[in-house]
Amino acid sequence: MYINMSKIEELKAELKTLGREYAKIKTLPESERKAFGEQLNAKKNALLAAIKAEEEAAESADVTPIDLTAPFAENAAKHEFKTGTKHPLTQELERVAKIYRLMGFNVIEARQLDDEFHMFDSLNFPKEHPARDGYDTFRTEEGFIPPAHTSTMQYRALTRFKNDLEKYGQIAVVVPGRVFRNEDVDATHEHTFYQCEGVFVSKDATLGQMLATWKNFFETYYGQKLNIKTQPGFFPFTEPSLEFQIEKPKALGGKGDGWLEMGGCGMIHPNVLRTAGIDPETYKGFAWGGGIDRLVMLKYGINDVRYFESGKLNFLKEF
Ligand code: DAH
């Protein structure tokens, strides 16, 4: 699927691309410059005229204002009412949650404002440690932190479901959520994006179960078998820590040779369990977390992450 920008935006993008062509003039031999320049000017004028025509057409489009005091039926007869749809990320977050629910996980919601304890202390970041700067966190004047990852929910997941350890012998929770980082924004980086965190604790949890869980999730999401690969990573809240990659799905043009970094995972650090009141001598756990926007971009061939937060109707109408 391709993202259908409005005609005007498309023309403006073309104009911008054309603008860059002008730099080529000085690289050409003197004799060719004039003709090339004239060609560019002609194209530019045609584009400007087309943009103007589209803008005028949009302005003069016949729009009857809705009379908010009139009965619904009267308005419905006069206007074409369109039903909205859920935001593409909401749709996909619901699919993600459903897959995990079918695997037996509880799903809880993250929050959009958090604090130093959940962002760092409860996750075994040493006080004043430089790793705290690695997350490019925003802060409010009052010292609150819009979460930079869904791992801020680990302490809450562990404490809230601690009773499940006695009842069912395990804690199994996933937490989709919106996260924020003070990043330079471009086609692959947003300051606001989504992640999904998973936490599992039992007496005999293993890294093998961890890898199988996440692999199974990706295979269900993309509807095909996938190879996975890990490499050592570092997160203060897991030991050992891994970075997790999947093979680029064939359904999406992968040939079994491309790897995609999907997030981090590992065995929950004993200090994290201890802080949540769970005895690490008796229980072990694994945790994992990664981005959702990338999953969705890959699935639909969206090439710019900024569309998600842009509020552009042309984009949203495609879903
Ligand atoms: N929160 C990490 C990040 O956003 C990813 C992560 C790594 C989550 C290891 C985990 C984990 O749960 O165990 O970079």
Side-chain angles (χ1 to χ4, degrees):
M1 187 192 310
Y2 269 97
I3 298 316
N4 184 9
M5 289 198 282
S6 85
K7 189 78 193 161
I8 297 175
E9 278 177 61
E10 225 169 81
L11 291 167
K12 283 187 176 165
E14 252 178 80
L15 190 64
K16 210 167 158 192
T17 317
L18 185 73
R20 283 187 222 113
E21 294 282 300
Y22 280 89
K24 282 192 194 152
I25 295 181
K26 52 179 187 307
T27 69
L28 293 174
E30 199 79 54
S31 61
E32 288 170 27
R33 290 187 188 179
K34 183 157 179 272
F36 186 72
E38 278 171 358
Q39 238 179 29
L40 289 184
N41 282 339
K43 275 193 212 160
K44 183 171 95 179
N45 289 333
L47 279 173
L48 286 172
I51 291 173
K52 193 157 172 246
E54 286 291 334
E55 280 173 347
E56 280 170 5
E59 263 171 41
S60 64
D62 195 17
V63 184
T64 329
I66 292 182
D67 175 4
L68 294 177
T69 62
F72 179 84
E74 201 174 296
N75 272 325
K78 255 193 261 169
H79 303 276
E80 190 192 345
F81 282 148
K82 294 203 183 83
T83 320
T85 50
K86 285 184 185 167
H87 191 281
L89 282 174
T90 306
Q91 296 178 31
E92 295 307 311
L93 283 162
E94 286 175 357
R95 279 198 70 211
V96 167
K98 187 169 174 197
I99 294 172
Y100 280 118
R101 223 177 264 122
L102 291 171
M103 288 165 74
F105 285 87
N106 293 289
V107 181
I108 61 171
E109 224 179 333
R111 50 182 69 201
Q112 297 193 34
L113 198 56
D114 221 311
D115 55 26
E116 192 81 20
F117 174 76
H118 291 89
M119 177 69 211
F120 295 119
D121 302 316
S122 69
L123 289 169
N124 192 41
F125 283 81
K127 286 245 179 283
E128 317 290 334
H129 195 272
R132 292 191 183 217
D133 303 332
Y135 281 83
D136 299 317
T137 45
F138 291 111
R139 261 167 222 271
T140 70
E141 280 168 8
E142 297 83 1
F144 290 113
I145 301 177
H149 55 179
T150 42
S151 302
T152 49
M153 292 298 292
Q154 282 197 15
Y155 175 85
R156 292 192 186 91
L158 292 172
T159 48
R160 176 163 160 195
F161 290 94
K162 209 182 334 183
N163 290 343
D164 282 5
L165 282 177
E166 269 158 42
K167 265 204 276 183
Y168 310 115
Q170 63 179 48
I171 295 176
V173 187
V174 298
V175 197
R178 196 179 200 195
V179 295
F180 310 88
R181 287 191 198 178
N182 190 358
E183 292 229 40
D184 289 336
V185 170
D186 61 29
T188 54
H189 296 89
E190 247 296 13
H191 48 66
T192 301
F193 54 103
Y194 288 78
Q195 285 189 332
C196 185
E197 190 81 6
V199 174
F200 184 90
V201 180
S202 73
K203 282 195 174 145
D204 49 14
T206 66
L207 207 50
Q209 291 171 347
M210 158 73 248
L211 299 177
T213 303
W214 217 3
K215 181 175 194 279
N216 186 51
F217 164 77
F218 284 114
E219 290 184 341
T220 311
Y221 185 80
Y222 285 119
Q224 65 167 96
K225 289 272 164 216
L226 288 169
N227 286 315
I228 61 163
K229 180 160 101 164
T230 58
Q231 62 194 48
F234 171 74
F235 303 99
F237 37 99
T238 39
E239 180 58 39
S241 302
L242 299 175
E243 281 168 13
F244 186 96
Q245 298 178 7
I246 61 168
E247 150 197 28
K248 188 168 179 194
K250 286 201 193 65
L252 305 171
K255 290 180 221 72
D257 53 356
W259 295 94
L260 300 161
E261 178 68 50
M262 293 322 259
C265 60
M267 297 304 289
I268 301 177
H269 196 287
N271 287 348
V272 174
L273 291 175
R274 208 173 283 123
T275 305
I278 296 170
D279 179 10
E281 300 294 326
T282 313
Y283 291 103
K284 296 182 188 358
F286 54 82
W288 67 104
I292 296 295
D293 307 58
R294 289 210 37 208
L295 274 191
V296 180
M297 287 172 74
L298 196 64
K299 180 169 163 192
Y300 290 112
I302 299 166
N303 53 19
D304 193 328
V305 67
R306 289 169 293 191
Y307 277 113
F308 288 132
E309 298 286 329
S310 70
K312 281 191 200 294
L313 276 181
N314 292 320
F315 169 71
L316 298 174
K317 275 184 190 156
E318 295 225 359
F319 298 88

